[in-house]
Amino acid sequence: MTMEKTFDAAEAEARIAALWEEAGAFKAGANASRDDTFCIMIPPPNVTGSLHMGHAFNNTLQDILVRWHRMRGFDTLWQPGQDHAGIATQMVVERELAKEGKSRRDFTREDFIRKVWEWKAQSGGTIVNQLKRLGASCDWSRNAFTMSGAEGAPAGEEGNFHDAVIKVFVDLYNKGLIYRGQRLVNWDPHFETAISDLEVENVEVDGHMWHFKYPLAGGATYEYVERDADGTVTLRETRDYISIATTRPETMLGDGAVAVHPDDERYKPIVGMLCEIPVGPKEHRRLIPIIADEYPDPNFGSGAVKITGAHDFNDYAVARRHGIPLYNLMDTRARMRTDGLSYEESAAIAKAIAEGRTDPDTVDITQINLVPEELRGLDRYEARQKVIEAINAEGLAVTYLHREIDPETKAEHLERRPLVEDKKIMQPFGDRSKVVIEPFLTDQWFVDTSKIVGPALDAVRNGTVRILPESGEKTYYHWLENIEPWCISRQLWWGHQIPVWYDAEGNQYCAATEAEAIAMAGGKALRRDPDVLDTWFSSGLWPIGTLGWPEDTPELRKYFPTDVLITGQDILFFWVARMMMMQLAVVGEVPFHTVYLHGLVRDAKGKKMSKSLGNVIDPLEIIDEFGADALRFTNAAMASLGGVLKLDTQRITGYRNFTTKLWNATRFAEMNGVFAEDVPMPGATPPDARATVNRWIIGETARTLAAVNEAFETFRFNDAANALYAFVWGKVCDWYVEFAKPLFDGDDAAETRATMRWVLDQCFILLHPIMPFITEELWGLTGTRAKLCVHADWPTYGLDVADAAADREMSWVINLIETVRSTRMQMRVPVGLKLPMLVIDADEAARNAYARNAVLIERLARLDGLHPAPALPRGALAVAVEGATYALPLGDVIDIAAETARLSKALEKLQKEIGGLQGRLGNPRFIENAAEEVVEEARATLAEKSDEASRLAEVIGKLESMA
């Protein structure tokens, strides 16, 4: 079959993907020839998701390892699947309903869940098809879903993942490791549910800092003194208040204390005293204690911090340390509460607690509503404005003296105004709702992680599990050594519903089914907890759940524990650590032995991709334009362990050219009879070769195989890509193809064809894990094969097939040719002009090497024979290589004086540009104020121009020596 002139990736990729699927090429155990297993679990993308660059990068690396092990005969499983993505999926379906003028509340829970399943059947497989376009060789027949087998699941969604999730909840509950309690959580007021930290986007926004006075109780005063760094007094005054600054005045209503640092001399006289919250009806004004705690920063603001434990995570920690009550001010929509006791009753109880007259443990804190009647039911931001207005009206804002000049009379006008600072603040937003997240005190279900974290820490400490890069271990230890209870409940309808039922008295019955719960309750009428489990809880069981646990399946026995987990470093805690804890708690075994963590894929300048910046790169568009292989090779090439992942479309273009180079080299071989019937099909070992060139390329192939094996073993995908690129393009397509041309017409023609056929086969095999489509296509076009390239046997020959003498000789030849070519280019010798080569001196090895390879050298270096010369003549440029000195006579070819002048002028201009860049980079203000990417670009430009200047100076030196 005659090859086409070019590789049509768009046509070939779809056809080859269908070929693989039809052949069952990716099924668990396909091509297995040994007992060793290799298993990777795909980090399950959301069922709502579509392929983005993070997915493309992550799955490329997984696929490389899977294909490599499969070709080596391992019994391989790459387990695919999707996460049910509770909040994301519910949002998508609710948005679809909104188009019809309906909401979730128009349906029963069961009917709404049915709608979600309908959506999943129509649109939930999008990302699977996109992963197939990337070439992901998962066992798609085993595609898993974290809601399979759940109540109401339609036909086709059978499975036992839901059973596994429920069983684990019940078991952990019965062991006392899961409980219901009240803690502060991230609350999304739009979806009215708790969310995880990973679903919170912290965004810098324009904000304000208001400064208010909290009067001391009973009109008490103290001497307030400020000092500079040398201890000199800069301010001394008598105060009857303590000043605080806040970005959220509406939460002052729920303050439980004011905290100062224990070493802050300004406030030591008043620690332990009470102060008054400057808002609310005057006759019921609340008093709160002034406490000492390490949390406040004496150098920030006034050094005093209001403690609102129910509406701030830092305040919550302080409140817990000091036994300060937590007063919730808002409802689930982030509006000021309307329930509970009246403000008068609530304020009286809170005051009694603050004064020590009432034990807070004897009071139902949830009934205390410290929102004044006139603010109840208002949105939090409406309430904020009214609180500010009330404090200002009472004269309890900290003020400053504002000076203003009348433009007409030039008279000076002084006025005291409330102190409000314009300030950039970090504000948490729901990543899907896009509303400001509220720290919210609510009853939720928690895993007591402190009781199950130990084995997960020990597994990494003792080396059972290793985390790459090693810097990830430090983060892992920090998180797990300071672990908090894990909030696992969500106030949604889509998800695994909590398997707990309540009777009329509020007693809990935890069971796998309602029937079991009723039996436990002695036949009482029960109501089920409406919450569902956090998706991280179910995905924490991904390794065992996808393999059929709790059933004792053959897959579970064969592939668990799995081998490698490849995932983003941002979910080391949210998913990786939780899988470690869950698997160890449930089955007493680690889920994997190696964790490979990678960073975020950024644009070419290192910026995070975002729609607002307009720098988002769509992998499907890249595949459409450049082909999947070019994208995959780019991903591998930038995957340095722990490095920054910068995706540059120019780089992708370069690797598409790489596929073209391989195609053209194979086509050249075809046109020169390399794949003719009389040329033997390649075997597992190299062919016998006599010609130096052929022995050399066989050795280069062996070295590349060793380098690729070592790179894959150590997860240095970039090293593998670089080794393959240098070999296939540099050694095979450039040098060997050119060296072979004269050999095809000589005595070594048959040997050279056999060697080239073998070498190209090795290229296809070694490249296949990274570039599967073009290699599968070329594999099929270059002979009748016993099996597909995806199942080709990975080479096992070693470095013993290399010939040291051939390697030395061809390295010498290549060095000579490259040196001559470089000299010709630097001196701007016309490309087609053949030059005589003068030999000044040469030892025996050099003379023999030149003689044996004269045809190759003179053809590729554009030389007109070798001519002895007693010394370096005027106008000739020396070309030195090991064991010999040659020279190129250029006096009659180029104008040495004109070239020297031209290059000197260019160097002078370049040196001025370098000086300017050095000046900018040497300016501390530029380094401090310029954007990071601007500074980085200036450094890169300086390095580039400095290299260019060095090359110019070298050429000028050569010209001057010739003159």
Side-chain angles (χ1 to χ4, degrees):
M1 178 179 176
T2 304
M3 290 176 61
E4 298 291 336
K5 288 186 177 180
T6 57
F7 174 56
D8 184 349
E11 181 278 328
E13 286 171 3
R15 172 169 45 77
I16 292 167
L19 176 68
W20 287 330
E21 193 148 358
E22 184 181 345
F26 307 152
K27 286 192 173 183
N31 200 49
S33 60
R34 55 204 285 183
D35 294 333
D36 307 80
T37 62
F38 182 77
C39 180
I40 286 185
M41 294 283 159
I42 198 171
N46 286 351
V47 70
T48 57
S50 57
L51 195 72
H52 58 60
M53 279 311 310
H55 291 134
F57 177 80
N58 177 282
N59 284 280
T60 296
L61 302 192
Q62 292 176 76
D63 195 44
I64 289 169
L65 290 182
V66 169
R67 287 179 182 270
W68 180 52
H69 280 85
R70 190 186 289 122
M71 295 171 82
R72 293 162 69 206
F74 281 69
D75 185 332
T76 303
L77 167 62
W78 185 10
Q79 175 64 54
Q82 295 80 51
D83 190 281
H84 66 275
I87 195 168
T89 306
Q90 183 161 314
M91 180 186 75
V92 168
V93 176
E94 288 195 65
R95 191 183 292 151
E96 291 299 310
L97 291 174
K99 294 176 182 177
E100 304 170 14
K102 297 177 182 178
S103 76
R104 169 168 55 111
R105 304 295 178 184
D106 294 327
F107 298 83
T108 65
R109 182 172 185 144
E110 291 72 22
D111 287 341
F112 177 77
I113 295 300
R114 199 170 295 116
K115 290 281 186 186
V116 179
W117 281 114
E118 288 172 5
W119 173 88
K120 196 260 180 183
Q122 294 169 2
S123 307
T126 298
I127 197 164
V128 169
N129 294 324
Q130 293 170 338
L131 284 167
K132 289 180 179 179
R133 287 199 62 193
L134 182 69
S137 63
C138 301
D139 182 352
W140 297 110
S141 68
R142 293 183 50 83
N143 195 47
F145 185 50
T146 53
M147 281 287 284
S148 66
E151 300 97 325
E157 295 291 350
E158 298 86 358
N160 68 343
F161 205 102
H162 173 73
D163 295 340
V165 173
I166 297 303
K167 175 176 171 54
V168 169
F169 184 99
V170 173
D171 289 350
L172 295 182
Y173 177 95
N174 290 334
K175 292 175 181 176
L177 299 174
I178 287 181
Y179 64 93
R180 187 166 175 80
Q182 191 178 73
R183 289 179 66 89
L184 207 61
V185 298
N186 294 309
W187 187 265
D188 189 314
H190 175 78
F191 291 112
E192 295 184 77
T193 181
I195 61 174
S196 73
D197 288 345
L198 198 64
E199 295 164 310
V200 176
E201 292 180 340
N202 289 297
V203 181
E204 188 176 67
V205 299
D206 293 326
H208 304 284
M209 181 81 81
W210 289 269
H211 294 254
F212 298 128
K213 298 176 180 178
Y214 282 45
L216 299 182
T221 62
Y222 69 107
E223 196 78 355
Y224 177 82
V225 179
E226 287 187 359
R227 302 177 188 273
D228 62 18
D230 298 324
T232 304
V233 174
T234 57
L235 174 66
R236 183 189 298 273
E237 63 184 16
T238 300
R239 286 186 176 179
D240 60 358
Y241 66 89
I242 185 169
S243 168
I244 64 96
T246 180
T247 60
R248 305 186 64 205
E250 71 279 8
T251 64
M252 293 168 63
L253 299 163
D255 287 354
V258 170
V260 297
H261 195 278
D263 297 333
D264 195 331
E265 296 291 338
R266 295 170 295 177
Y267 301 118
K268 281 190 175 181
I270 58 172
V271 171
M273 296 175 65
L274 297 176
C275 61
E276 185 180 276
I277 298 176
V279 67
K282 189 68 177 173
E283 63 274 21
H284 304 302
R285 195 61 58 87
R286 269 199 315 123
L287 297 176
I288 56 175
I290 300 170
I291 62 171
D293 190 89
E294 298 284 339
Y295 168 58
D297 180 357
N299 299 313
F300 181 77
S302 68
V305 180
K306 72 186 198 66
I307 302 301
T308 318
H311 290 279
D312 182 278
F313 287 102
N314 291 316
D315 292 3
Y316 177 76
V318 176
R320 292 283 299 274
R321 286 197 291 272
H322 294 270
I324 296 167
L326 307 172
Y327 299 118
N328 196 7
L329 301 173
M330 300 178 197
D331 64 15
T332 59
R333 301 290 290 176
R335 295 172 300 208
M336 309 310 284
R337 287 174 56 192
T338 58
D339 64 327
L341 300 172
S342 69
Y343 181 78
E344 181 179 352
E345 294 173 285
S346 299
I349 297 170
K351 182 179 179 183
I353 292 172
E355 293 174 347
R357 294 183 286 107
T358 297
D359 183 349
D361 293 336
T362 65
V363 177
D364 184 358
I365 296 292
T366 62
Q367 290 301 304
I368 296 178
N369 183 349
L370 293 171
V371 180
E373 309 297 340
E374 68 274 13
L375 299 181
R376 295 189 176 193
L378 294 181
D379 176 80
R380 53 187 162 169
Y381 298 117
E382 292 179 89
R384 174 182 296 180
Q385 193 55 41
K386 290 189 177 296
V387 166
I388 294 168
E389 290 169 0
I391 294 174
N392 289 343
E394 196 173 331
L396 289 175
V398 174
T399 59
Y400 72 100
L401 197 60
H402 178 75
R403 178 174 176 267
E404 197 170 89
I405 305 296
D406 188 295
E408 293 182 5
T409 65
K410 306 302 181 186
E412 182 180 64
H413 176 66
L414 298 175
E415 177 187 14
R416 297 211 72 86
R417 291 186 177 180
L419 177 58
V420 183
E421 295 177 73
D422 293 332
K423 185 178 179 64
K424 293 283 187 183
I425 60 172
M426 295 303 294
Q427 198 150 49
F429 289 83
D431 66 345
R432 292 182 175 87
S433 67
K434 304 305 178 186
V435 301
V436 176
I437 296 305
E438 186 66 41
F440 191 59
L441 191 64
T442 178
D443 287 314
Q444 300 287 341
W445 287 95
F446 294 90
V447 175
D448 191 351
T449 43
S450 64
K451 294 180 179 177
I452 62 172
V453 71
L457 279 166
D458 292 341
V460 176
R461 285 185 180 131
N462 65 26
T464 303
V465 175
R466 43 173 202 152
I467 298 175
L468 302 173
E470 290 184 4
S471 57
E473 290 187 7
K474 184 177 180 181
T475 305
Y476 181 84
Y477 294 143
H478 173 75
W479 277 336
L480 295 195
E481 288 167 354
N482 298 279
I483 199 164
E484 294 284 337
W486 171 16
C487 176
I488 57 171
S489 47
R490 299 291 182 263
Q491 290 63 53
L492 302 169
W493 281 358
W494 172 243
H496 300 280
Q497 193 169 352
I498 301 283
V500 173
W501 285 260
Y502 305 91
D503 61 21
E505 291 77 39
N507 297 309
Q508 297 175 1
Y509 304 93
C510 181
T513 65
E514 184 174 13
E516 292 177 50
I518 291 172
M520 291 169 66
K524 292 181 185 178
L526 302 177
R527 63 177 179 84
R528 188 171 186 175
D529 194 305
D531 290 354
V532 300
L533 286 165
D534 171 23
T535 53
W536 293 109
F537 185 90
S538 48
S539 63
L541 299 170
W542 188 244
I544 56 174
T546 53
L547 294 173
W549 186 91
E551 296 176 24
D552 183 21
T553 64
E555 292 84 3
L556 188 64
R557 291 195 300 271
K558 181 184 288 187
Y559 297 113
F560 186 83
T562 68
D563 291 276
V564 181
L565 177 73
I566 296 181
T567 191
Q569 60 192 23
D570 54 327
I571 57 173
L572 174 59
F573 175 70
F574 292 97
W575 190 45
V576 180
R578 287 169 178 173
M579 277 194 288
M580 291 278 284
M581 288 190 291
M582 295 284 273
Q583 257 69 199
L584 284 162
V586 174
V587 296
E589 180 60 88
V590 295
F592 29 68
H593 296 303
T594 302
V595 179
Y596 177 99
L597 300 172
H598 60 78
L600 194 69
V601 179
R602 300 176 180 272
D603 71 8
K605 293 184 177 180
K607 286 185 178 179
K608 182 179 179 180
M609 293 185 195
S610 73
K611 291 179 181 177
S612 60
L613 291 175
N615 64 344
V616 173
I617 299 174
D618 184 342
L620 297 175
E621 291 180 4
I622 294 294
I623 291 172
D624 288 340
E625 183 176 355
F626 299 99
D629 289 324
L631 175 59
R632 289 171 60 106
F633 202 94
T634 305
N635 286 334
M638 68 179 179
S640 59
L641 197 59
V644 178
L645 309 177
K646 296 181 181 179
L647 185 68
D648 189 347
T649 51
Q650 288 186 336
R651 199 171 185 182
I652 300 171
T653 302
Y655 293 132
R656 180 185 58 187
N657 296 342
F658 180 45
T659 66
T660 302
K661 191 80 170 177
L662 177 62
W663 183 271
N664 289 342
T666 309
R667 192 161 170 266
F668 163 82
E670 181 194 48
M671 290 187 293
N672 283 276
V674 168
F675 307 117
E677 289 185 6
D678 61 338
V679 179
M681 283 292 287
T685 56
D688 290 331
R690 297 176 306 160
T692 304
V693 169
N694 292 329
R695 297 200 312 277
W696 162 75
I697 197 63
I698 288 170
E700 291 293 337
T701 307
R703 271 187 286 277
T704 303
L705 170 63
V708 171
N709 281 335
E710 182 181 3
F712 285 163
E713 287 283 2
T714 56
F715 304 96
R716 297 188 178 276
F717 300 94
N718 61 313
D719 287 350
N722 293 338
L724 285 165
Y725 187 89
F727 169 66
V728 175
W729 186 310
K731 297 295 195 303
V732 177
C733 298
D734 274 356
W735 290 112
Y736 186 57
V737 165
E738 290 299 323
F739 289 157
K741 288 176 182 177
L743 296 181
F744 283 149
D745 298 324
D747 296 337
D748 298 316
E751 174 195 303
T752 302
R753 287 187 174 89
T755 303
M756 182 172 283
R757 186 166 196 171
W758 180 84
V759 167
L760 287 171
D761 254 27
Q762 300 309 295
C763 291
F764 306 154
I765 293 170
L766 298 184
L767 275 172
H768 182 81
I770 302 180
M771 304 179 91
F773 290 105
I774 190 169
T775 52
E776 190 71 77
E777 181 80 338
L778 290 171
W779 183 261
L781 290 172
T782 54
T784 302
R785 308 288 188 168
K787 50 186 179 178
L788 297 170
C789 188
V790 66
H791 290 162
D793 294 329
W794 190 260
T796 56
Y797 51 83
L799 291 173
D800 55 307
V801 303
D803 183 315
D807 294 341
R808 280 195 303 273
E809 183 165 308
M810 293 314 299
S811 294
W812 186 90
V813 169
I814 290 170
N815 183 37
L816 176 58
I817 294 170
E818 285 180 334
T819 304
V820 173
R821 283 176 169 179
S822 174
T823 301
R824 292 177 63 111
M825 185 180 68
Q826 288 177 340
M827 298 302 162
R828 299 209 299 176
V829 175
V831 175
L833 181 64
K834 284 192 173 185
L835 295 173
M837 175 82 99
L838 306 181
V839 55
I840 310 303
D841 62 75
D843 61 20
E844 184 180 359
R847 288 197 302 273
N848 292 337
Y850 194 103
R852 282 192 293 266
N853 298 280
V855 173
L856 303 180
I857 295 169
E858 292 170 8
R859 177 189 180 114
L860 297 179
R862 304 294 294 168
L863 297 175
D864 185 16
L866 189 63
H867 308 275
L872 186 68
R874 183 180 178 84
L877 186 60
V879 176
V881 291
E882 184 182 356
T885 301
Y886 300 102
L888 294 173
L890 300 175
D892 297 330
V893 177
I894 61 172
D895 186 331
I896 296 174
E899 276 296 295
T900 304
R902 181 184 68 82
L903 294 178
S904 297
K905 189 175 181 180
L907 179 59
E908 185 179 348
K909 180 185 177 184
L910 202 55
Q911 286 170 336
K912 286 181 181 178
E913 293 173 359
I914 290 169
L917 286 165
Q918 289 172 332
R920 288 178 73 194
L921 290 167
N923 183 347
R925 292 183 63 186
F926 172 72
I927 301 296
E928 290 169 11
N929 300 327
E932 185 181 343
E933 60 269 17
V934 173
V935 176
E936 195 59 41
E937 187 175 349
R939 285 177 175 147
T941 304
L942 176 59
E944 185 181 316
K945 290 187 179 295
S946 297
D947 286 346
E948 187 181 347
S950 296
R951 287 195 298 271
L952 279 179
E954 180 187 352
V955 176
I956 291 169
K958 289 179 179 178
L959 286 167
E960 288 174 343
S961 70
M962 289 166 61

